[in-house]
């Protein structure tokens, strides 16, 4: 055991350098919050759909909720129902068993809806591709607005992809007629 301790003491700590922050990913929170409110007129509601992933992307999505990224403070929240969502965050290659469920989730999301495909598997099928058990990427099943590649993509890139999707969406006054018609009589 002593020879291991001497080796560690001689060699020192061996690690890779810390990654550089993504440019623009650490904008001040109040600016991101105001931008979301200006575009949507309310908080952004996200419905996460796991279409057959290995859960690597889910770990990174869960990291968005920690105090470092604090997406709740930015006006972004996860919801349990697609009927309350503005954006679908889809991970994994779409398995044949999840194909119908993903389409139903997409259809249940009120218009105008956004879809972000997360990870290499969500973008193009990843190492699984298309096979008897996999439909491949999310775009093979439902329309996708933004893709966030990586295996898994870091939380900062996930946040940048979500913000890119929101920025591509028309302002809250435009294109909202379909959502207003969603619940007639409740105006």
């Amino acid at each position: 055991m002593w020879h291991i301790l001497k080796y560690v003491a001689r060699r020192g700590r061996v690690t890779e350098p810390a990654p550089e922050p993504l440019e623009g990913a650490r904008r001040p929170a109040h600016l991101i919050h105001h931008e979301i409110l200006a575009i949507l007129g309310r908080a952004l509601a996200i419905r996460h759909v796991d279409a057959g992933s290995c859960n690597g992307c889910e770990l990174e999505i869960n990291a968005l909720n920690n105090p470092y990224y604090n997406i709740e403070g930015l006006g972004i929240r996860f919801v349990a129902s697609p009927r309350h969502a503005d954006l679908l965050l889809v991970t994994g290659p779409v398995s044949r068993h999840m194909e119908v469920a993903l389409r139903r989730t997409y259809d249940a999301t009120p218009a105008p809806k956004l879809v972000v495909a997360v990870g290499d598997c969500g973008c193009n099928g990843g190492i699984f591709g298309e096979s008897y058990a996999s439909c491949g990427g999310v775009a093979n099943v439902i329309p996708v607005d933004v893709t966030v590649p990586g295996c898994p993509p870091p939380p900062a890139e996930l946040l940048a992809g979500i913000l890119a999707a929101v920025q591509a969406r028309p302002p809250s006054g435009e294109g909202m007629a379909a959502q207003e018609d969603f619940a007639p009589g409740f105006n």
Side-chain angles (χ1 to χ4, degrees):
M1 183 165 129
W2 286 109
H3 70 282
I4 294 173
L5 290 174
K6 288 179 189 176
Y7 177 78
V8 170
R10 261 184 289 140
R11 182 134 188 193
R13 187 178 298 168
V14 182
T15 63
E16 59 188 37
E20 294 295 321
L22 290 174
E23 192 170 319
R26 293 303 306 164
R27 291 186 300 182
H30 69 282
L31 294 178
I32 295 172
H33 182 68
H34 288 305
E35 185 176 333
I36 289 171
L37 288 177
I39 293 170
L40 296 176
R42 62 188 182 287
L44 175 66
I46 298 175
R47 171 67 175 137
H48 169 246
V49 179
D50 180 349
S53 78
C54 68
N55 291 326
C57 294
E58 281 73 11
L59 291 171
E60 301 299 322
I61 291 170
N62 284 334
L64 287 173
N65 287 314
N66 72 26
Y68 183 77
Y69 294 101
N70 187 23
I71 62 168
E72 288 277 338
L74 302 176
I76 301 171
R77 60 191 172 90
F78 286 92
V79 294
S81 171
R83 298 191 189 283
H84 303 145
D86 301 308
L87 183 142
L88 293 179
L89 195 63
V90 187
T91 59
V94 182
S95 68
R96 298 280 180 201
H97 295 291
M98 281 297 294
E99 183 178 6
V100 172
L102 181 59
R103 280 198 181 111
R104 286 181 181 170
T105 302
Y106 180 79
D107 292 340
T109 306
K113 50 191 139 197
L114 298 169
V115 178
V116 176
V118 175
D120 289 341
C121 295
C123 294
N124 57 22
I127 61 170
F128 303 102
E130 289 185 50
S131 69
Y132 70 93
S134 173
C135 298
V138 177
N140 293 347
V141 179
I142 59 174
V144 172
D145 297 300
V146 175
T147 59
V148 182
C151 187
E157 289 181 15
L158 289 170
L159 183 58
I162 291 168
L163 295 176
V166 170
Q167 290 169 344
R169 181 179 176 161
S172 60
E174 303 171 21
M176 296 295 278
Q179 189 167 2
E180 291 172 0
D181 294 337
F182 182 72
F186 291 94
N187 295 336

